[in-house]
Amino acid sequence: MLLSSSISLIGPVIVKEALDNYIPNKNITGLVLISILYIGVFMSVAIIMKHRMYTMGEVGQSILVDMRQDLFRNLQYVPFNYYDSRPHGKILVRVVNYINSLSDILSNGFVNLIADMVTLIMTIIFMSFLSIKLTLVTLICIPILLIVMLSIKNAQRRAFQKLSSKQSNLNAYIHESINGIKVTQSFSRKKENMKIYEELCTDCSDSWMKAVSLNFLVWPTIETVSVMSVSLIYIFSILIFSGEVSIGLLVAFIAYVWIFWAPITNIGNFYNTLINAMAYLERIFEAMDEKPEYDNENAISLENVNGDVTFENVYFEYEENSPILENVNIDIKAGEKIALVGPTGAGKTTIVNLLSRFYKIKSGNILVDGVDINDVTLKSLRKEIGVMLQDPFVFSGTIMENIRYGRLDATDEEVIEAAKIVRADDFIREFNDGYNTYLNEQGNGLSVGQKQLISFARVLLSNPKILILDEATSSIDTETEALLQEGIEELLKGRTSFVIAHRLSTIINSDKIMYVGDKHILEEGTHEDLIAKKGLYYNLYKSQYMEV
């Protein structure tokens, strides 16, 4: 940068010498030599610029890679409530769009800013060398420019913050619409959705117009001020410094004035880009600053787990002063099968989420084999807990890779054995590529029930000591469920299990059934005990099986 800026500024000095000395004296030899020097100057600058642009492009891209990795890494560790409170589309736009928008400013913007600052300083030095008086005349216009720039700075920042918010809303709505397209089409909501989308697009467009209208004030302001400074040079040279300024000096100095204003124009453009980028950077760093869930400093690894689980006076709330669970006490011995039943929203899923430490309890303790789960490493805790959710999820990759997801060192034979136990092997082999059938994230070609069986095999393969089945068989037909139940019984042997099910037929044989409601465990006992009580569980069972 120093070389290119310094060498490029030699040009006007060469022109001055040619006009003031070589041409008037008809020194052809000297003029040829100085012309060769002039060409050499620009060739040198071109070579240096090529290397500078390549190097800074590489540096800028490496910064983007680091930023993407830092942001994605933090998103892997932030607690669940971060995702609960934000549309996934808004998170996605930060990871992809906002960081992509910084590509130019990181690859070229900052380095060009430094280069322009160097050029500016070097130009002032060269101008002062030619004429201190004319240099001071040039600098008269700088305060005018600063006043204009400062007056629109805050308005620009607010405008781009608003634009960033509107773009984020638009992206979130697109993401939501794509995920819910089946519901949209089944309810014929296409026109209504298009109207909402059109409004969001209009908001985006209006915000963009307001933002760039402020940006467009910068360039013409700099152009106007630069023309004013050149005009002042001519006026002062003719009226005030008459006789002191030669033709060569005037031409060379005017060339330096234009060189002087070129980096200022670039800095003004960079300023516009920076104001735009700041709105994106604020959102990116907001996500980076979200506190991840790390292990305690003295956390231990949970080893040789038996499967005893204890909840001691557990209190939990998602929002301040809105408790979901109050003073919940549960004592489960290793190998017991526990069923959680109750109305929707009572907190059944919350209980098992707290055991997996997806959320932090406000007070109380949760123990596994007598050890507080907050005192163990997350990795060792979740390695011992297998979670099977109501909504199965498959990742892009083969069926084999999806089942092996939680245990990468498993052999093909172990994967196939797990699939056989959960009754997934038969339908997998019906595919032309069998276990090597490639799936996208939507699970192309698979029914919801088949995806659930693959998810079940995935959990089984990880061989956890504690198993959580959250409505795990809700998407499977009755015939398949009957077959799967055999596999589940094999899976549950020797494992502590929590089963959440609305179909009570699947949990009748549980060692203990807990009725969750009104923020507490309201009833607890075996199926026979609770039926004999004729309480809440009895009424729930009776509503499903009228013959009771």
Side-chain angles (χ1 to χ4, degrees):
M1 285 186 292
L2 289 170
L3 278 172
S4 61
S5 297
S6 301
I7 295 173
S8 63
L9 290 172
I10 296 174
V13 174
I14 294 174
V15 172
K16 176 184 178 298
E17 286 301 309
L19 289 171
D20 285 349
N21 297 313
Y22 291 98
I23 293 175
N25 296 324
K26 299 181 181 180
N27 186 344
I28 304 300
T29 303
L31 196 59
V32 170
L33 291 174
I34 207 170
S35 297
I36 294 171
L37 176 62
Y38 195 61
I39 293 170
V41 164
F42 281 98
M43 288 181 66
S44 301
V45 171
I47 294 169
I48 294 170
M49 287 291 288
K50 176 188 173 183
H51 288 287
R52 190 188 88 183
M53 290 172 68
Y54 177 82
T55 302
M56 289 316 302
E58 196 172 35
V59 170
Q61 287 304 310
S62 68
I63 293 171
L64 286 178
V65 168
D66 288 346
M67 189 176 287
R68 286 193 185 100
Q69 289 179 341
D70 288 345
L71 180 54
F72 188 76
R73 184 184 299 111
N74 202 52
L75 291 175
Q76 301 299 300
Y77 288 93
V78 292
F80 273 27
N81 55 10
Y82 176 80
Y83 295 98
D84 291 341
S85 59
R86 292 166 178 83
H88 292 176
K90 287 195 174 186
I91 299 172
L92 184 65
V93 76
R94 298 182 188 197
V95 180
V96 181
N97 297 25
Y98 288 175
I99 290 184
N100 285 346
S101 70
L102 301 176
S103 178
D104 185 60
I105 196 172
L106 291 175
S107 298
N108 301 307
F110 282 110
V111 68
N112 287 341
L113 173 66
I114 298 169
D116 288 329
M117 293 296 291
V118 170
T119 300
L120 198 59
I121 293 168
M122 296 295 293
T123 304
I124 293 173
I125 292 171
F126 273 76
M127 288 166 63
S128 301
F129 175 76
L130 289 180
S131 173
I132 292 289
K133 291 180 180 179
L134 292 180
T135 302
L136 292 175
V137 172
T138 304
L139 298 177
I140 289 173
C141 296
I142 294 296
I144 299 171
L145 180 62
L146 290 176
I147 291 170
V148 175
M149 296 290 283
L150 291 174
S151 65
I152 64 173
K153 181 188 71 170
N154 291 332
Q156 276 183 297
R157 188 166 178 268
R158 286 193 299 271
F160 276 103
Q161 283 177 331
K162 186 176 181 181
L163 174 60
S164 171
S165 176
K166 297 297 183 183
Q167 289 174 335
S168 182
N169 291 341
L170 179 63
N171 197 78
Y173 186 74
I174 293 171
H175 187 270
E176 178 187 275
S177 297
I178 292 171
N179 284 342
I181 191 64
K182 290 182 180 178
V183 178
T184 297
Q185 293 187 356
S186 64
F187 282 94
S188 297
R189 275 268 309 187
K190 297 182 283 293
K191 288 185 178 179
E192 289 80 359
N193 285 10
M194 278 302 302
K195 186 176 180 182
I196 296 171
Y197 182 73
E198 186 179 344
E199 290 174 358
L200 290 171
C201 285
T202 301
D203 288 343
C204 251
S205 177
D206 292 344
S207 298
W208 186 85
M209 288 301 296
K210 289 176 182 177
V212 297
S213 65
L214 291 169
N215 270 6
F216 290 155
L217 290 175
V218 175
W219 179 78
T221 300
I222 296 174
E223 283 292 301
T224 302
V225 173
S226 65
V227 171
M228 285 173 56
S229 69
V230 172
S231 301
L232 287 174
I233 295 297
Y234 283 121
I235 292 170
F236 273 73
S237 297
I238 296 170
L239 299 180
I240 299 176
F241 305 139
S242 180
E244 298 180 32
V245 180
S246 67
I247 293 295
L249 174 60
L250 183 61
V251 171
F253 199 88
I254 292 298
Y256 278 126
V257 171
W258 288 120
I259 293 173
F260 171 79
W261 284 105
I264 292 179
T265 302
N266 294 337
I267 291 169
N269 292 332
F270 173 79
Y271 173 80
N272 280 338
T273 307
L274 185 62
I275 291 292
N276 187 356
M278 284 303 294
Y280 297 143
L281 281 169
E282 285 176 4
R283 297 286 192 275
I284 292 169
F285 287 125
E286 181 185 277
M288 283 187 178
D289 290 340
E290 193 70 29
K291 290 184 178 178
E293 189 175 9
Y294 287 129
D295 297 323
N296 292 336
E297 188 175 335
N298 300 316
I300 61 174
S301 180
L302 196 62
E303 304 287 350
N304 302 317
V305 174
N306 292 318
D308 295 329
V309 176
T310 306
F311 280 58
E312 296 178 344
N313 300 316
V314 170
Y315 181 100
F316 175 74
E317 58 188 18
Y318 290 106
E319 297 179 3
E320 195 73 28
N321 300 320
S322 299
I324 302 298
L325 300 173
E326 290 181 341
N327 299 321
V328 170
N329 291 280
I330 300 175
D331 188 20
I332 302 162
K333 301 303 178 186
E336 286 188 331
K337 177 182 177 181
I338 307 302
L340 300 175
V341 300
T344 301
K348 303 183 294 297
T349 300
T350 298
I351 289 174
V352 294
N353 281 342
L354 294 178
L355 175 60
S356 300
R357 228 170 93 185
F358 291 147
Y359 300 93
K360 270 202 165 186
I361 58 176
K362 188 164 186 180
S363 63
N365 299 288
I366 300 176
L367 312 175
V368 173
D369 289 356
V371 180
D372 194 311
I373 62 172
N374 289 317
D375 296 332
V376 303
T377 61
L378 267 175
K379 185 175 182 179
S380 66
L381 173 66
R382 291 177 182 169
K383 182 182 177 183
E384 300 296 341
I385 300 176
V387 182
M388 182 63 203
L389 302 174
Q390 180 178 1
D391 299 319
F393 189 88
V394 295
F395 297 89
S396 298
T398 65
I399 293 177
M400 182 76 75
E401 290 168 342
N402 265 278
I403 297 175
R404 194 183 274 133
Y405 188 83
R407 189 181 149 206
L408 299 179
D409 61 346
T411 64
D412 290 356
E413 291 73 20
E414 288 173 320
V415 170
I416 294 170
E417 182 60 29
K420 285 180 178 178
I421 291 175
V422 301
R423 305 299 187 268
D425 182 71
D426 290 340
F427 84 79
I428 292 174
R429 291 190 182 278
E430 290 177 2
F431 292 108
N432 292 333
D433 295 326
Y435 284 85
N436 292 317
T437 300
Y438 189 86
L439 307 173
N440 61 25
E441 65 182 65
Q442 302 297 326
N444 54 304
L446 297 180
S447 67
V448 177
Q450 288 172 332
K451 286 190 284 187
Q452 206 149 25
L453 292 176
I454 289 174
S455 300
F456 223 116
R458 180 192 299 156
V459 172
L460 172 59
L461 186 65
S462 66
N463 194 27
K465 294 298 291 185
I466 299 171
L467 189 64
I468 295 171
L469 307 179
D470 188 353
E471 289 290 337
T473 59
S474 63
S475 300
I476 300 174
D477 60 80
T478 307
E479 183 180 346
T480 305
E481 183 181 14
L483 292 171
L484 179 60
Q485 206 66 40
E486 299 172 15
I488 291 176
E489 293 305 322
E490 287 295 320
L491 174 61
L492 296 183
K493 285 181 181 178
R495 292 182 173 87
T496 305
S497 58
F498 291 81
V499 180
I500 299 173
H502 286 104
R503 274 188 277 183
L504 301 185
S505 60
T506 61
I507 52 97
I508 287 175
N509 296 323
S510 300
D511 296 305
K512 197 178 292 182
I513 298 172
M514 297 181 179
Y515 189 98
V516 184
D518 195 25
K519 307 166 191 171
H520 297 86
I521 306 295
L522 299 179
E523 289 183 359
E524 182 178 333
T526 63
H527 171 74
E528 291 77 12
D529 293 339
L530 296 179
I531 289 295
K533 279 185 179 181
K534 294 195 173 182
L536 295 167
Y537 177 78
Y538 171 81
N539 293 330
L540 181 63
Y541 190 80
K542 186 178 178 181
S543 67
Q544 290 192 18
Y545 303 96
M546 299 302 294
E547 66 272 15
V548 175

